[in-house]
Amino acid sequence: MKRIIYGLSLISCWLLAGIGQLSAQNPLIMDQYTADPSARVFEGKVYVYPSHDILANENRGRPGWFCMEDYHVFSSANLTEWQDHGVIVSQYDVDWVNPDSYSMWAPDCIARNGKYYFYFPANSRDTGMRRGFGIGVAVADHPEGPYIPQPEPIQNVRGIDPNLFIDQDGQAYLYWSMGNIYVAKLKENMLELASEPQVVKDLPDAGLKEGPYLFERNGIYYMTYPHVANKTERLEYAIGDNPAGPFRFAGVIMDESPTGCWTNHHSIIELKDQWYLFYHHNDLSPKFDKARSIRADSLFFNGDGTIRKVTPTLRGVGVTHAGGMIQIDRYSATGDHGVSIGFLDSLDTFRGWKTILGEKGAWTRYNTVDFGDQEMQTVQIKASSEKGGTVEIRSGSADGPVIARVEIPAYPDWSVVHSNLLEVPSGIHHLVTLLGEGNGVEIDWINFK
Ligand code: FUB
């Protein structure tokens, strides 16, 4: 079972069961596919507006292609627990959208004068001049909605992947893509263009560019975008001193997916003095890269304002509570032998992953687990093992202090095994889970009480 918190009733169930809160790792959302994360900080909380991939079939969409009928919004105060606020806009509720197009691609949202403006691309109902993708706006009084869609898309815009930026002088800009990246100023009402669309200059000429995301830091405007420079999309950025450009290419933020997920799509935010990159990968659908899942990792700048390349991780961001189910398969590091990760059920990937410690000395490390000052006394491990084994939980490294030693019985089905702690940790620890003895143990999660 995975760790995303979906609603109060589920939280209550876990608390009643003594399991506590679950924690965030990558991917962030485990009960549905999510893609194209547009993260925003509103009122001190992070709101993520992703696309919502579903699987096409003969009756909906086009099998083998993107298929999206609606949008959810998710929020988190700490990047650890995420709340799903449900559907905010759907293809069935927008006058101008073809309700059979399943084309609700990457959105964005921005706040202005106490209102929240949600921008989304979709195929128009019209087969005339407005054929293809338009970009619509839905407006709300709160980040989570309810959103009221405008009856018409924004005039004079054709394309996908809207992105919004409001400069310090109050001028709003709309960016979007259609092979290339475009920009236009928006009127104060955020619903109409105030200038003619222009191609953003001077991004690399060759290769598809899409998914623009513009932000400003210390007077530098960063135009960031996925670009097919080689085979699949990688995240790049260009910098300039004006939100409308021109920009100059400055580097790569994230390399192409090592496993071939063709798209990537991102956003970048700062929360409490730390910058974060939100992006996506097909974690829950390794054989079909149009069913994606959103992720987050920390992002850092060099002293000269350039961005350090982000290495995608499974651990992701946020502190994990020791009292939650710690999904050690979302590791920060592993040893170099005997360890592998597999789905708990390859026919139902939403159930998540397991860690397979296949030989003595195999280990994973899971960083930033908070024991607080609650004096945890026991550890629980949900495990299975054909022949039995001894699992050690250590602090910091594979030869760090032993927090617990847990005998896993020879029992091929999953069971929860308890053991008293040898050391009672407090504060934040990086936890190493290591096979001390035995031939093979599979672990779903560990948890402290
Ligand atoms: O999600 C559909 C499309 O894939 C997005 O609009 C692009 O940015 C790419 O991620």
Side-chain angles (χ1 to χ4, degrees):
M1 195 168 180
K2 282 293 171 187
R3 64 218 155 277
I4 306 304
I5 288 179
Y6 301 112
L8 283 177
S9 57
L10 201 47
I11 297 173
S12 318
C13 289
W14 278 325
L15 288 175
L16 285 174
I19 301 279
Q21 295 181 329
L22 300 187
S23 319
Q25 303 103 34
N26 286 327
L28 297 176
I29 306 299
M30 284 295 298
D31 71 340
Q32 59 197 284
Y33 298 120
T34 49
D36 308 324
S38 182
R40 295 286 177 189
V41 180
F42 293 141
E43 299 162 359
K45 275 173 84 172
V46 177
Y47 287 82
V48 181
Y49 301 83
S51 309
H52 180 197
D53 289 337
I54 56 176
L55 299 180
N57 60 36
E58 284 159 13
N59 301 314
R60 66 178 192 194
R62 179 176 137 201
W65 190 236
F66 300 108
C67 184
M68 294 101 123
E69 64 183 351
D70 60 24
Y71 300 100
H72 289 228
V73 58
F74 302 84
S75 72
S76 176
N78 57 10
L79 297 173
T80 295
E81 288 93 26
W82 289 90
Q83 184 181 354
D84 180 356
H85 297 277
V87 173
I88 52 169
V89 173
S90 121
Q91 66 178 5
Y92 310 106
D93 300 331
V94 185
D95 290 350
W96 63 270
V97 171
N98 175 353
D100 198 27
S101 59
Y102 298 91
S103 60
M104 306 201 94
W105 288 18
D108 194 10
C109 189
I110 200 158
R112 175 156 219 166
N113 298 334
K115 297 267 184 210
Y116 296 84
Y117 296 87
F118 178 73
Y119 295 78
F120 57 96
N123 286 165
S124 168
R125 236 179 233 283
D126 265 0
T127 50
M129 288 298 286
R130 294 216 309 264
R131 198 170 180 176
F133 276 96
I135 291 178
V137 192
V139 187
D141 291 330
H142 305 281
E144 69 276 17
Y147 281 90
I148 310 295
Q150 295 294 301
E152 295 286 336
I154 302 174
Q155 298 303 302
N156 209 17
V157 176
R158 301 283 164 271
I160 60 171
D161 297 354
N163 167 242
L164 281 299
F165 175 74
I166 301 177
D167 204 4
Q168 280 169 12
D169 63 3
Q171 178 62 57
Y173 295 82
L174 173 68
Y175 305 85
W176 68 94
S177 58
M178 212 171 54
N180 219 329
I181 295 176
Y182 296 82
V183 60
K185 288 181 179 172
L186 279 177
K187 291 186 181 169
E188 177 84 18
N189 66 13
M190 302 296 281
L191 304 173
E192 296 169 274
L193 297 192
S195 68
E196 280 299 309
Q198 291 181 352
V199 172
V200 169
K201 298 185 179 121
D202 290 310
L203 306 180
D205 281 339
L208 174 81
K209 295 176 288 292
E210 55 181 5
Y213 184 87
L214 188 120
F215 68 97
E216 182 267 345
R217 178 180 177 269
N218 295 340
I220 299 175
Y221 295 89
Y222 294 79
M223 166 51 70
T224 68
Y225 54 90
H227 176 212
V228 184
N230 186 16
K231 284 189 176 159
T232 63
E233 290 182 338
R234 67 182 191 186
L235 304 180
E236 295 180 357
Y237 73 108
I239 56 176
D241 51 19
N242 186 305
F247 298 94
R248 58 184 182 280
F249 178 79
V252 175
I253 302 173
M254 181 173 279
D255 285 327
E256 291 182 4
S257 154
T259 56
C261 183
W262 201 91
T263 63
N264 201 350
H265 187 117
H266 69 296
S267 53
I268 293 171
I269 58 165
E270 185 184 21
L271 181 74
K272 296 177 186 158
D273 297 327
Q274 174 62 55
W275 288 81
Y276 296 97
L277 173 74
F278 286 73
Y279 61 102
H280 72 218
H281 190 65
N282 57 329
D283 293 280
L284 293 168
S285 171
K287 293 187 180 152
F288 180 56
D289 69 354
K290 289 165 186 65
R292 300 153 296 176
S293 294
I294 62 171
R295 290 171 159 219
D297 274 302
S298 299
L299 177 140
F300 299 92
F301 291 86
N302 295 308
D304 62 0
T306 53
I307 297 176
R308 289 192 207 157
K309 199 185 272 187
V310 177
T311 301
T313 76
L314 298 173
R315 173 61 185 87
V317 297
V319 171
T320 295
H321 304 288
M325 289 177 195
I326 306 168
Q327 304 288 344
I328 59 167
D329 48 72
R330 309 293 82 196
Y331 56 79
S332 307
T334 67
D336 59 7
H337 66 93
V339 59
S340 58
I341 306 296
F343 282 115
L344 286 167
D345 178 351
S346 55
L347 298 179
D348 181 7
T349 58
F350 291 105
R351 288 188 56 207
W353 295 266
K354 61 186 175 186
T355 303
I356 302 152
L357 299 177
E359 62 187 66
K360 187 175 168 180
W363 59 268
T364 68
R365 193 183 76 231
Y366 183 100
N367 284 0
T368 325
V369 177
D370 188 6
F371 287 82
D373 53 7
Q374 294 171 13
E375 304 224 335
M376 305 282 188
Q377 299 296 329
T378 59
V379 62
Q380 302 189 105
I381 302 185
K382 186 173 177 191
S384 72
S385 178
E386 291 282 345
K387 296 184 178 165
T390 305
V391 170
E392 295 174 357
I393 313 289
R394 292 174 176 258
S395 177
S397 64
D399 56 4
V402 181
I403 294 174
R405 204 168 263 123
V406 186
E407 298 301 329
I408 309 295
Y411 185 60
D413 284 338
W414 291 107
S415 65
V416 177
V417 185
H418 306 247
S419 185
N420 288 335
L421 300 188
L422 302 173
E423 271 196 21
V424 178
S426 63
I428 302 272
H429 287 255
H430 298 340
L431 293 185
V432 170
T433 305
L434 178 146
L435 189 62
E437 294 293 340
N439 293 317
V441 171
E442 300 194 349
I443 296 175
D444 185 359
W445 47 258
I446 67 177
N447 151 251
F448 294 85
K449 288 168 71 161

